[in-house]
Amino acid sequence: MPLDLVAPTAVLFLKVYKVKPKPFVPEKVNNTDTYVRNITDGHIWHRCKMRALYADTDRSQVVYHGNYLRYFEFGRTSLMRDVSYPYLEIEQSGYLYPVIEIGIQYYSPLHYDDQVCIQTRPADLERVRIRFDYIITHEQTGEIVCIGFTKHCAINIKGTPVAIDDKTLHLWKTFPK
């Protein structure tokens, strides 16, 4: 079978058994591409875009599953930068937020040079933990590629869990619902 006809096993399973996510139908917020509202559930998401690199693909010519976590990171850091609180500033203030848990569901593969939209939003907030949610879509088709989350623990530079810093708390409280 030619390599371009090979689909990753998980994606093939989802298509055969008709497993589909809830639709994601974005509309611009305030006439900007930076924030979109999913009209199916009303949630507001931060949006950034990138292209799938050739180096992101595997032998089956689709984006390797682990690289979606890099896309999550791109979405997360873009959100933080766009709200004027980049990770470098967080680290300089003595806080670190390592990933302690991840979850991801794949629905459709990406290929080299596909334009990708990464939607990110602050989700759960606990005393020392935060969670970001993600929806990655194919820009041309609007098809959902994957849905996921990352959970992070606030620690100081010694590695001790600490309460979430004030600026991050502010983001969670003020991010549009």
Side-chain angles (χ1 to χ4, degrees):
M1 180 181 295
L3 285 178
D4 60 341
L5 298 178
V6 176
T9 306
V11 171
L12 185 59
F13 172 84
L14 292 169
K15 289 184 183 225
V16 168
Y17 291 99
K18 311 261 189 273
V19 176
K20 290 186 176 180
K22 292 179 183 176
F24 183 80
V25 184
E27 68 177 2
K28 290 181 181 181
V29 174
N30 299 329
N31 284 333
T32 176
D33 276 338
T34 305
Y35 293 95
V36 296
R37 179 186 318 279
N38 180 0
I39 63 172
T40 61
D41 64 12
H43 286 134
I44 297 201
W45 297 78
H46 176 270
R47 173 183 268 185
C48 59
K49 298 177 182 180
M50 66 180 295
R51 286 195 177 272
L53 301 174
Y54 186 78
D56 291 343
T57 63
D58 61 17
R59 186 164 184 211
S60 62
Q61 298 178 351
V62 298
V63 171
Y64 175 70
H65 69 276
N67 285 326
Y68 291 94
L69 298 176
R70 289 181 42 247
Y71 297 172
F72 287 0
E73 182 177 0
F74 181 77
R76 187 171 64 249
T77 57
S78 294
L79 165 63
M80 297 303 285
R81 190 174 298 108
D82 286 350
V83 298
S84 300
Y85 196 36
Y87 272 114
L88 186 57
E89 187 177 326
I90 293 170
E91 291 176 355
Q92 289 171 343
S93 68
Y95 291 87
L96 301 171
Y97 285 89
V99 174
I100 59 169
E101 184 179 347
I102 58 172
I104 188 166
Q105 293 176 299
Y106 302 96
Y107 296 100
S108 179
L110 287 173
H111 299 88
Y112 164 65
D113 209 36
D114 282 348
Q115 183 76 23
V116 179
C117 295
I118 304 163
Q119 285 81 206
T120 308
R121 66 186 314 275
D124 300 337
L125 172 66
E126 300 173 30
R127 187 173 177 284
V128 299
R129 293 182 295 219
I130 57 175
R131 175 179 153 150
F132 289 91
D133 287 342
Y134 310 90
I135 299 176
I136 295 179
T137 55
H138 190 284
E139 184 173 36
Q140 283 186 308
T141 65
E143 188 173 15
I144 292 178
V145 173
C146 67
I147 295 174
F149 72 89
T150 56
K151 191 176 274 192
H152 307 256
C153 180
I155 61 173
N156 61 23
I157 56 173
K158 293 179 182 176
T160 305
V162 295
I164 294 166
D165 68 279
D166 290 339
K167 281 189 170 182
T168 301
L169 281 173
H170 180 72
L171 169 61
W172 254 253
K173 291 177 181 176
T174 60
F175 192 84
K177 302 292 181 223

